[in-house]
């Protein structure tokens, strides 16, 4: 029992999420494995990701230098989740039309009871609830002399709390697919 209690917080912290990887080749990617890495903005989070990207690239056989002809540009994005209720429950409707003095037609309607849409005394049918979780996205673009050669991006629904924590696991699969076209490849985000 004690082992189970000790393991539970660790298992919760190691929750696995799913992500999706996509990539497109625009022009043939040179055989050179010498690149420079540049973030789209130099926020503290992106500087941490830049160091991780450099580490992963070097571990996979790339040489990272400051001024290489091939530039790997990266950008992160947070997409806030949303919630919506597709149902319509109107308690008060206001309508006005016309445009002159004394010619305005105004109307107010209080919905006391409507069995379909709900009202003051009836909740009605309700609608379909749509929930979209928070998503993180990491984009990598390989350029040569300002021309895009390849672009890859990974997205994941995550509960990790920061874009750095969510983006780090996406780096390896993206680097593995530099120079390849990939469509909706599932990736695991630890």
């Amino acid at each position: 029992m004690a082992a189970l209690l000790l393991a539970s917080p660790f298992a919760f912290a190691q929750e696995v999420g799913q992500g999706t990887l996509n990539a497109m080749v625009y022009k043939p990617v040179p055989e050179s494995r010498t690149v420079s890495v540049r973030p789209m903005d130099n926020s503290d989070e992106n500087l941490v990701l830049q160091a991780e990207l450099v580490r992963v690239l070097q571990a996979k056989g790339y040489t990272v230098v400051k001024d290489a002809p091939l530039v790997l540009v990266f950008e992160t994005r947070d997409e806030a989740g949303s919630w919506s209720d597709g149902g319509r429950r109107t308690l008060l409707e206001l309508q006005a039309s016309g445009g002159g003095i004394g010619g305005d037609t105004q109307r107010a309607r209080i919905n006391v009871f409507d069995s379909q849409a709900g009202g003051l005394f009836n909740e009605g049918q309700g609608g379909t609830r749509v929930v979209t979780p928070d998503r993180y996205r990491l984009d990598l673009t390989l350029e040569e002399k300002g021309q895009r050669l390849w672009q890859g991006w990974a997205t994941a629904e995550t509960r990790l709390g920061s874009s750095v924590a969510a983006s780090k696991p996406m780096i390896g699969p993206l680097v593995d697919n530099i120079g390849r076209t990939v469509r909706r490849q599932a990736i695991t985000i630890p």
Side-chain angles (χ1 to χ4, degrees):
M1 180 71 168
L4 179 62
L5 291 174
L6 291 174
S8 291
F10 181 75
F12 180 74
Q14 297 297 318
E15 187 172 335
V16 175
Q18 292 297 314
T20 305
L21 184 137
N22 290 284
M24 293 182 67
V25 175
Y26 295 100
K27 294 186 177 189
V29 175
E31 296 291 323
S32 174
R33 298 196 44 103
T34 302
V35 298
S36 61
V37 177
R38 187 179 76 215
M40 286 295 282
D41 70 71
N42 60 354
S43 67
D44 291 341
E45 288 182 345
N46 278 353
L47 294 178
V48 169
L49 285 176
Q50 182 177 13
E52 179 67 11
L53 184 54
V54 167
R55 186 192 68 73
V56 169
L57 284 165
Q58 289 172 337
K60 296 190 182 276
Y62 286 84
T63 303
V64 180
V65 296
K66 186 175 182 174
D67 295 318
L70 293 175
V71 179
L72 192 59
V73 180
F74 74 93
E75 178 179 21
T76 58
R77 299 181 208 174
D78 295 338
E79 298 173 5
S82 63
W83 179 89
S84 70
D85 185 354
R88 183 177 171 200
R89 184 168 183 230
T90 307
L91 296 178
L92 176 63
E93 293 180 12
L94 301 173
Q95 182 180 11
S97 61
I101 298 175
D104 291 337
T105 306
Q106 300 167 358
R107 188 173 96 175
R109 178 178 171 241
I110 296 176
N111 186 358
V112 178
F113 180 82
D114 182 344
S115 60
Q116 293 298 317
L120 193 58
F121 297 118
N122 182 11
E123 292 182 18
Q125 301 294 324
T128 305
R129 289 194 172 131
V130 178
V131 178
T132 306
D134 291 341
R135 297 180 64 82
Y136 294 103
R137 178 174 166 144
L138 175 62
D139 287 88
L140 298 182
T141 304
L142 186 65
E143 299 176 350
E144 182 179 44
K145 298 178 184 170
Q147 292 192 351
R148 181 181 307 177
L149 305 176
W150 172 88
Q151 181 176 7
W153 61 97
T155 58
E157 298 172 6
T158 185
R159 298 159 206 76
L160 292 174
S162 81
S163 59
V164 172
S167 297
K168 275 186 175 183
M170 297 178 189
I171 292 173
L174 281 166
V175 169
D176 288 341
N177 287 289
I178 290 176
R180 295 186 186 127
T181 296
V182 178
R183 289 183 181 84
R184 293 185 293 265
Q185 176 183 339
I187 57 173
T188 301
I189 308 295

